Amino acid sequence: MEDILSKYNTSIKGLSEGEALKRQKEYGLNKLDEKKQTPLIILFLSQFIDILIALLLIAAIASIAIGDYIDAGVIILAVLLNTILGFIQEYRSRKAVDSLESLMVKKAVVKRENEIIEVEAEKLTIGDIVVLEEGNKCPADLALIECKNLNCDESNLTGESEAVLKQVNDNVFMDSNIISGHGLGVVENIGMKTEIGKIAKIVQEEDEETPLEVRVGRLGKILSAIAIVVCIIIFILELLQGVGIVETFMTAVSLAVAAIPEGLPAVLTLTLALGMSEMASSNAIVKRLLSVETLGSCTIICSDKTGTLTENRMSVVDSYLTNEDKTLLISKLCNNATIKNDKTIGNQTDGAILKFAKDYDASLERLDEIPLDSNRKMMTTIHRLDDENNIVLSKGAPEIILDKCKYIDDNGSIEIIEAESKEKILKKINEMSEKSLRVIGFAYKINDEHSPEENLIFTGLLGLIDPPKENAKQAVTDCINAGIAVKMITGDHEKTARAIAKHLGILTTGQVITGAELERLTDEEYLAIADDIQVYARVKPAQKMRIVETLKNLGNIVAMTGDGVNDAPALKKASIGVAMGDGTDVAKESADMILQDNDFSTIVKAIKEGRKIYDNIKRFVKFQVSTNVGAILTIIGTTLLNLPLPFNPAQLLWLNIVMDGPPAQTLGMEGAEKDTMTRPPETGDILTKNTLLQIFLLGLVMAIGTVIVFSWQIYSGETTKKAMSVAFTLFVVYQLFNAYNGKSNSDQSSRYLYAGIILSFILQLFILYVPQLQILFRTTAIGIVEWIVIIIVASSILFAQKIMNKVIE
């Protein structure tokens, strides 16, 4: 005690008020610092800092410059939809810090000038003497200088559900609940320097870009580069051909509109939102829109064991009893759990043991208790047996109990434990452990107040298990088939963790490592073996962040589960943080996804949904970009042939937004491919080299067909309006056939896609035959011959795709 008091320059009487004020000025207040919040208007405007959004705004400004206000209005609407959704997501992410602040204790009881007083907790300072009583919350990080039976519940911070018995010199952390006993502690750390403060600092860091954000960013750069280069080339070509500057500018604007997929942000947002809704129906609440797709790219899942892979419901499944009656007596009375309405209140292990003895009738007055702690690993209670005798009842770690036993009770016959009997018991302990059971030993003795835990009488062993969930093994198998590594992280013993992991198929050829072993490894040593480690046992929640960062440094996309306050940094750092539905608010706010049912198989369902969404994103991106490439090549072709432009800006926008809308959106609603969960995760770009080649060839087919039919119309003596109407309609029908090319190889029907194609075709008929729309889009009616030519030519895109598929195979 004197060393601690000296270290913080204080005394058992506490600080004086003057000294406390002086230290408050030096160390600051005991509260969490909030990172300066970005003003909401700046947060909203920052959503416009994006390549695709910038290109859309340029297209809108260009449309306004040539008086095309309808085109500009539609583009701006798409931009606003995308930015508003992004703003809402970022605004919601601020809640994690608010949840941490709610943990801050408002009042604290301290000793100052040898008087016990209540002060505002934020006015605590280094060296203050804090009084801890049952029912209180710890207001800062303390070093204990006095304590009596002080049990602390640190579950919010550490994730460990069992209360911890504290000793002098131990630390008690901010937000710990005092379950029983009392004590005095010296304030070691306040505010941001507490363990919770360190967590708050990490939680406030900016979110890293999701894989989809990175890929869409790259896609935007590719498209912008294409748009700029093509516009410059056409602008120069037309000027060299003597075309007027105004007309040349109009052509360049048309190309800009053609090159940019205006509907992409809206379709992307809507597809992700539909995925969120689908996952919610499977008990997976996704909080961040772009995280939906991240799941589909996941390469590693780091899963907690208890409650996620297992039932979180301990039960006795095996026993080795030398005296059943005495073991039942110990189970019933050396126990602090209670059962009400078949629900266990208290420690899970105690609850399972109490259920095992629920039919045993025993009631003896408890005189004293020596609580379980991490060093002794046993619990002892002393009861009045009769007027002359007391009985000592003990239970705990089997090896510890066995070492404390001198005798064995063989159904009422008390004998000294011989080496042979001891060997038999140890063998049974090992057999139970190998079956992934948690083994508890039982012993007793009559009378002995001076050394109650020595020379005990052994009565038996109970084997308990938190059974794996029925669907967990299949879910792990599904992950392995999908190329996703599953790593189990638990606070349990190595033997138990090893057995459960083997049963579930997680532990195959890899390593098991304990938290203590992990702590001894340097970063370089850990990096070298991280991929081979399949099970982490006896891990502290604080070590999860190191695990996440190392696996990410190896190029993995990591999903991490957690439920405690101390899990928040790891959840924040993971590619996708997964919080449990019954976890702390801080964990939930720091995570990207919440499992309402705490079930590992739900993560696997969410991964399947994420992969389906990513496939569908690739589907509609390929569809939209091939349309844009086809439009660009068509305009280049007609310019080089010295023909009029085949589309006006309004028609181009119709092609890009309205005609792309229903087909592209319904491509985003396609069912999962049959091989969704039997292929490795995709970590490459949305548009691979192979896809880009296909896009160019499909665009080329559309351009060649459109230019030929447009030239036929012009040279046949048709009006430019009629020729443009035919070319425009041909290009629309090309798109409808191309949308069919994109449908998935799924067991699920493509009824939405077919409905979208039919709707788009009907809308095109309105444009051609409704007088008011003819004026708006500068179209005219076309005859049956033109329709036959359009259908025959446009269907060539189906054959082109089949040929490409054969060549690729």
Side-chain angles (χ1 to χ4, degrees):
M1 181 175 77
E2 290 303 326
D3 288 344
I4 296 171
L5 293 172
S6 173
K7 182 179 177 182
Y8 297 103
N9 195 19
T10 187
S11 75
I12 194 68
K13 295 179 180 180
L15 302 173
S16 67
E17 286 296 334
E19 181 63 20
L21 285 169
K22 180 183 169 187
R23 293 191 185 192
Q24 282 170 21
K25 288 178 183 174
E26 182 180 352
Y27 299 113
L29 293 175
N30 180 33
K31 64 177 188 176
L32 300 183
D33 297 337
E34 264 198 84
K35 189 175 71 172
K36 192 175 178 184
Q37 297 283 22
T38 308
L40 293 181
I41 186 66
I42 301 297
L43 193 66
F44 178 72
L45 293 175
S46 68
Q47 305 303 313
F48 291 90
I49 304 170
D50 177 87
I51 289 284
L52 276 176
I53 297 298
L55 286 171
L56 290 174
L57 289 174
I58 290 167
I61 291 165
S63 297
I64 291 168
I66 61 170
D68 207 336
Y69 302 112
I70 294 172
D71 296 356
V74 176
I75 294 171
I76 290 168
L77 193 64
V79 168
L80 284 174
L81 174 66
N82 195 63
T83 50
I84 288 168
L85 283 167
F87 168 74
I88 290 168
Q89 288 160 38
E90 286 205 30
Y91 179 71
R92 287 175 62 186
S93 71
R94 295 181 175 187
K95 288 185 178 178
V97 180
D98 296 337
S99 297
L100 275 171
E101 285 189 333
S102 71
L103 301 178
M104 300 291 289
V105 182
K106 306 302 178 191
K107 299 281 185 183
V109 179
V110 298
K111 277 181 83 173
R112 286 199 180 152
E113 298 176 349
N114 211 26
E115 283 189 24
I116 294 177
I117 60 171
E118 189 176 71
V119 298
E120 297 288 334
E122 70 173 29
K123 292 183 179 175
L124 283 179
T125 191
I126 306 299
D128 257 326
I129 306 295
V130 174
V131 180
L132 297 173
E133 296 284 354
E134 184 177 324
N136 290 350
K137 270 193 173 189
C138 185
D141 285 0
L142 311 179
L144 288 174
I145 54 172
E146 286 182 12
C147 61
K148 175 69 173 172
N149 289 334
L150 188 70
N151 278 282
C152 294
D153 173 8
E154 299 177 336
S155 58
N156 271 355
L157 188 64
T158 66
E160 297 294 330
S161 58
E162 297 190 17
V164 180
L165 181 68
K166 296 290 184 178
Q167 311 288 343
V168 171
N169 290 333
D170 283 352
N171 292 107
V172 183
F173 299 109
M174 180 188 281
D175 190 49
S176 297
N177 290 301
I178 310 304
I179 301 299
S180 62
H182 55 85
L184 290 179
V186 178
V187 174
E188 283 191 310
N189 289 306
I190 58 172
M192 294 301 285
K193 297 217 169 145
T194 61
E195 290 303 305
I196 281 184
K198 292 171 188 172
I199 291 166
K201 188 176 180 184
I202 295 167
V203 166
Q204 291 186 72
E205 290 176 3
E206 294 293 327
D207 287 326
E208 293 180 10
E209 281 191 317
T210 67
L212 185 60
E213 284 175 302
V214 173
R215 292 167 189 167
V216 169
R218 279 201 289 259
L219 175 62
K221 286 171 187 173
I222 292 169
L223 295 178
S224 60
I226 291 170
I228 290 165
V229 169
V230 170
C231 286
I232 290 170
I233 290 170
I234 293 299
F235 191 79
I236 292 168
L237 279 173
E238 291 215 334
L239 281 178
L240 290 174
Q241 289 176 348
V243 179
I245 191 77
V246 174
E247 196 176 338
T248 303
F249 177 70
M250 192 169 173
T251 304
V253 170
S254 299
L255 274 170
V257 173
I260 302 164
E262 287 88 350
L264 182 57
V267 175
L268 186 65
T269 301
L270 206 50
T271 301
L272 291 169
L274 286 169
M276 285 177 75
S277 175
E278 187 74 28
M279 287 183 187
S281 66
S282 299
N283 291 313
I285 308 298
V286 179
K287 295 166 52 198
R288 193 172 171 216
L289 205 60
L290 287 164
S291 298
V292 175
E293 182 277 330
T294 309
L295 274 164
S297 308
C298 176
T299 57
I300 289 177
I301 302 173
C302 293
S303 177
D304 190 20
K305 177 184 77 71
T306 307
T308 307
L309 292 165
T310 62
E311 296 283 0
N312 195 19
R313 178 178 48 78
M314 296 295 290
S315 58
V316 176
V317 294
D318 198 359
S319 63
Y320 173 75
L321 307 179
T322 61
N323 186 318
E324 183 177 358
D325 187 70
K326 282 291 190 293
T327 304
L328 289 169
L329 176 73
I330 301 164
S331 299
K332 190 89 169 187
L333 299 181
C334 185
N335 199 312
N336 287 329
T338 56
I339 297 172
K340 287 185 180 178
N341 301 323
D342 206 35
K343 186 176 179 183
T344 302
I345 300 167
N347 180 280
Q348 285 275 340
T349 302
D350 271 7
I353 292 169
L354 190 60
K355 281 184 178 178
F356 173 73
K358 68 178 180 180
D359 296 327
Y360 186 80
D361 188 22
S363 179
L364 298 174
E365 180 190 352
R366 184 184 289 193
L367 302 174
D368 200 2
E369 174 187 344
I370 307 171
L372 174 77
D373 72 46
S374 56
N375 295 318
R376 292 170 44 259
K377 295 184 180 176
M378 62 184 293
M379 172 188 179
T380 297
T381 55
I382 302 170
H383 301 261
R384 191 179 304 286
L385 190 60
D386 52 41
D387 291 340
E388 296 179 5
N389 298 301
N390 296 333
I391 186 167
V392 177
L393 309 177
S394 296
K395 74 177 194 304
E399 295 89 349
I400 301 287
I401 291 289
L402 196 55
D403 282 344
K404 299 281 186 183
C405 289
K406 185 177 179 180
Y407 306 96
I408 185 168
D409 187 335
D410 186 5
N411 290 316
S413 175
I414 311 299
E415 304 164 359
I416 290 177
I417 295 185
E418 302 290 348
E420 187 180 338
S421 297
K422 200 165 189 177
E423 187 61 37
K424 188 177 179 182
I425 294 166
L426 287 169
K427 186 180 178 184
K428 191 63 185 176
I429 291 169
N430 198 48
E431 282 175 11
M432 287 184 176
S433 297
E434 290 293 332
K435 292 193 288 185
S436 72
L437 304 184
R438 178 180 290 177
V439 187
I440 307 294
F442 294 81
Y444 78 102
K445 68 176 176 179
I446 309 295
N447 289 335
D448 192 344
E449 295 177 5
H450 302 295
S451 52
E453 295 184 329
E454 301 297 331
N455 299 322
L456 298 172
I457 306 167
F458 182 82
T459 71
L461 304 169
L462 291 182
L464 299 87
I465 193 169
D466 176 12
K469 290 185 175 175
E470 286 183 16
N471 53 12
K473 189 170 185 178
Q474 184 58 50
V476 169
T477 302
D478 290 344
C479 283
I480 293 166
N481 290 340
I484 303 165
V486 180
K487 298 181 186 291
M488 189 173 87
I489 301 176
T490 178
D492 270 357
H493 290 281
E494 182 183 347
K495 274 189 176 178
T496 306
R498 186 185 292 274
I500 290 278
K502 274 187 177 177
H503 173 76
L504 292 173
I506 293 171
L507 184 60
T508 49
T509 57
Q511 296 181 17
V512 179
I513 191 171
T514 64
E517 290 168 339
L518 178 60
E519 207 151 319
R520 290 195 291 270
L521 293 176
T522 65
D523 287 343
E524 290 75 19
E525 288 170 337
Y526 177 37
L527 197 67
I529 64 169
D531 271 338
D532 295 327
I533 299 169
Q534 293 178 317
V535 177
Y536 294 83
R538 281 295 188 205
V539 169
K540 298 171 186 172
Q543 292 176 311
K544 283 188 177 183
M545 192 160 133
R546 186 184 182 195
I547 295 169
V548 168
E549 289 183 324
T550 303
L551 292 173
K552 284 178 72 178
N553 289 340
L554 288 166
N556 292 296
I557 294 172
V558 183
M560 169 68 79
T561 69
D563 55 8
V565 171
N566 216 22
D567 289 328
L571 295 174
K572 183 82 174 176
K573 288 286 182 185
S575 310
I576 181 152
V578 183
M580 300 298 109
D582 58 3
T584 60
D585 287 343
V586 181
K588 290 178 189 176
E589 294 296 348
S590 301
D592 303 292
M593 185 172 90
I594 299 167
L595 294 188
Q596 287 187 303
D597 57 2
N598 293 12
D599 197 329
F600 182 80
S601 65
T602 303
I603 303 177
V604 180
K605 288 178 195 169
I607 286 172
K608 184 177 180 181
E609 186 66 27
R611 289 191 172 192
K612 182 187 88 173
I613 286 165
Y614 187 53
D615 283 345
N616 286 343
I617 288 170
K618 289 196 300 180
R619 240 184 279 284
F620 70 65
V621 167
K622 179 185 173 184
F623 169 71
Q624 285 205 306
V625 176
S626 61
T627 297
N628 296 348
V629 168
I632 289 169
L633 293 176
T634 301
I635 291 172
I636 290 173
T638 52
T639 302
L640 291 172
L641 293 171
N642 209 19
L643 293 167
L645 287 178
F647 319 121
N648 59 49
Q651 291 170 350
L652 278 168
L653 204 69
W654 176 261
L655 290 170
N656 274 16
I657 293 182
V658 184
M659 288 310 298
D660 279 1
Q665 186 53 66
T666 52
L667 280 172
M669 297 163 69
E670 281 288 278
E673 295 275 348
K674 289 177 181 176
D675 68 345
T676 298
M677 294 300 284
T678 56
R679 54 181 160 90
E682 293 200 40
T683 54
D685 286 332
I686 294 173
L687 299 180
T688 60
K689 288 180 182 177
N690 186 26
T691 308
L692 283 169
L693 178 62
Q694 285 195 52
I695 284 169
F696 176 76
L697 292 174
L698 290 170
L700 188 62
V701 169
M702 285 189 261
I704 290 170
T706 307
V707 170
I708 289 171
V709 171
F710 184 60
S711 303
W712 163 60
Q713 287 284 294
I714 292 288
Y715 293 126
S716 297
E718 296 288 354
T719 63
T720 302
K721 181 186 278 190
K722 174 76 177 290
M724 286 177 71
S725 297
V726 171
F728 173 42
T729 304
L730 170 60
F731 204 83
V732 165
V733 178
Y734 259 133
Q735 284 186 77
L736 301 183
F737 279 124
N738 199 29
Y740 179 81
N741 276 336
K743 76 183 185 72
S744 68
N745 179 23
S746 171
D747 293 325
Q748 188 178 322
S749 167
S750 291
R751 62 182 182 277
Y752 293 115
L753 176 62
Y754 298 140
I757 290 171
I758 292 166
L759 175 62
S760 294
F761 185 74
I762 292 169
L763 289 172
Q764 182 64 20
L765 293 178
F766 285 164
I767 293 249
L768 290 173
Y769 299 107
V770 174
Q772 292 81 358
L773 293 176
Q774 285 178 336
I775 295 166
L776 186 63
F777 288 94
R778 298 187 282 281
T779 58
T780 187
I782 57 177
I784 189 68
V785 174
E786 285 86 1
W787 272 114
I788 292 169
V789 171
I790 286 168
I791 298 298
I792 292 170
V793 174
S795 64
S796 64
I797 200 86
L798 297 174
F799 302 107
Q801 182 67 63
K802 284 187 182 299
I803 292 165
M804 278 188 276
N805 290 341
K806 288 289 183 186
V807 171
I808 292 165
E809 286 173 13

